[in-house]
Amino acid sequence: MHANFFFTLSLASAAPLGPLDVGPGLAPPPSGPGFHFIDVGQGASLLLVGREGHAVLIDAGPPPASEPILAALAAHGLAAVDLWIFSHFDNDHIGGFARALAGPDNLAGTADDLELRERWDRGMGGLPETPAANAYATAGSPRTAARPGDRWEAPGMTIRVVSAGSPPERAAENERGLALCIEVEGTTLLAPGDLPFVQVEAAARACGAVDVLWTSHHGSRTGISQAVLAAAAPVLVVISAGGDNSYCHPHPETLSLLQTYAVWSTDLAGASPHGPCPGLAAAWGPEHHLALADLWLPAGGAD
C-alpha cells in the first residue's frame, strides 16, 4: 500500500458529493498515466494508460460497449491497443470486442480498424456457444492463453496474472476467469473479473494489498467478502454496473459490507425502496458515490 496514494475523479463538478449524488459526466481526461473505467452499462471495461502512451484494455462490456470504448481511446489520443485482456467469455465482458475492433465505421477491413497488438484470455476450451464468443474466436488478432505467473510490462506499468485457485470441476464461466494484479506508476489495482469470492480471496492474497479493488461481478454479493477486503485492504473500491440491470447490482449486501470504504459506482440498478431492488438506498454509505459516467483515476499522483 502506498502511503501517499490519492485519487481524483475527473468529473465536471469538483464539489464533494454526498450519498447518492450524481456526477454530471466525465470531463476530458488529463494527459498522463492512469485508469479509465469505461461506463459500458451492465458489463465491465477498463482502459489502462501508460506514461509513454501504451494502452491496455481489460474486458469489452456488452455489444453496445464498442462506442464508449472507442470514445475512451480517442479521448486519450490512442489509435492502437498494445494488449487486450479478457477475464472470461460472458457476453457482458466480450460483447463489445468485435465491433470495437472494426473501428468507428463498424466495418472490418477498412482504414479505421483498431490496431490490436496482443490479446490474452483464459484459453478457448469450453468456449460458450454465443454470437459474441463466436465473433471473439474468429477475430484475426493474435491471442495467448494466459496463466498465473504470466506478466506484461511497459514503462511504468506491470500486469500480472495471479492464481485464484483451481476452479471446481464443471466450473461455470465466471469461475474459469483470470484475476489480474495491476500496477501503474505505483498505484495498484486488483481486477478479479466475475470470480466468486472464494477465488477472489485467493487472488487478493496472491496480489497483496492494493490501492483500488475493482469489485468482482459488478458488485454482486457472490464476489466479495470480509476476507477479500482484509487481504486486498483497498483505499478505493470501484463498481462497474448498469442502471437497467435486473440483478440488483450492486447488491445491498455488498454495499453494506463496504459501508466504511470509499466507493464509486458507474451506475446502479435503482435506489427507490418501492422499486425492484429494495434495500439499496438504506445500504448506501456516506463515502459511496454514483458517477453515471466514466471514471478517470490518475496514477502515481498525476493531476
Side-chain angles (χ1 to χ4, degrees):
M1 181 70 63
H2 301 277
N4 63 347
F5 170 73
F6 73 96
F7 68 94
T8 303
L9 293 172
S10 182
L11 297 171
S13 171
L17 298 180
L20 280 178
D21 279 359
V22 177
L26 182 73
S31 60
F35 305 80
H36 188 141
F37 296 89
I38 305 171
D39 182 9
V40 294
Q42 183 62 15
S45 189
L46 168 62
L47 171 63
L48 312 175
V49 181
R51 72 166 82 131
E52 296 185 6
H54 289 90
V56 176
L57 278 163
I58 314 296
D59 287 336
S66 60
E67 290 187 12
I69 289 171
L70 291 172
L73 290 167
H76 295 277
L78 299 168
V81 174
D82 295 282
L83 174 66
W84 204 331
I85 305 176
F86 297 88
S87 62
H88 62 297
F89 294 134
D90 278 348
N91 188 64
D92 58 339
H93 289 254
I94 65 168
F97 170 65
R99 289 171 61 179
L101 208 59
D105 69 1
N106 200 25
L107 296 173
T110 57
D112 72 345
D113 285 9
L114 181 64
E115 180 184 353
L116 174 58
R117 294 169 181 147
E118 189 176 1
R119 59 176 159 147
W120 289 3
D121 55 46
R122 65 158 179 81
M124 304 294 275
L127 191 72
E129 295 182 4
T130 64
N134 290 336
Y136 179 89
T138 57
S141 57
R143 55 160 299 277
T144 299
R147 297 289 180 262
D150 286 348
R151 186 183 187 100
W152 187 92
E153 293 183 317
M157 184 187 300
T158 301
I159 300 169
R160 294 186 292 122
V161 181
V162 294
S163 175
S166 299
E169 188 177 355
R170 297 186 183 137
E173 184 61 32
N174 287 349
E175 298 168 313
R176 304 179 68 177
L178 300 176
L180 306 172
C181 189
I182 298 166
E183 183 173 342
V184 180
E185 299 296 342
T187 300
T188 53
L189 176 143
L190 176 62
D194 281 359
L195 291 172
F197 67 80
V198 172
Q199 290 175 274
V200 181
E201 291 166 12
R205 290 192 296 270
C207 186
V210 296
D211 297 308
V212 186
L213 172 64
W214 194 19
T215 54
S216 175
H217 207 185
H218 320 289
S220 165
R221 61 181 173 178
T222 65
I224 197 166
S225 67
Q226 288 285 9
V228 168
L229 294 172
V235 176
L236 171 67
V237 177
V238 174
I239 300 171
S240 293
D244 296 329
N245 77 85
S246 60
Y247 308 102
C248 291
H249 291 163
H251 197 277
E253 290 182 22
T254 296
L255 294 174
S256 294
L257 198 61
L258 295 169
Q259 271 290 305
T260 61
Y261 289 83
V263 175
W264 276 89
S265 182
T266 55
D267 210 331
L268 74 173
S272 170
H274 307 294
C277 301
L280 188 59
W284 199 257
E287 297 300 321
H288 296 175
H289 306 293
L290 185 63
L292 295 180
D294 292 13
L295 302 175
W296 169 250
L297 175 63
D303 295 325

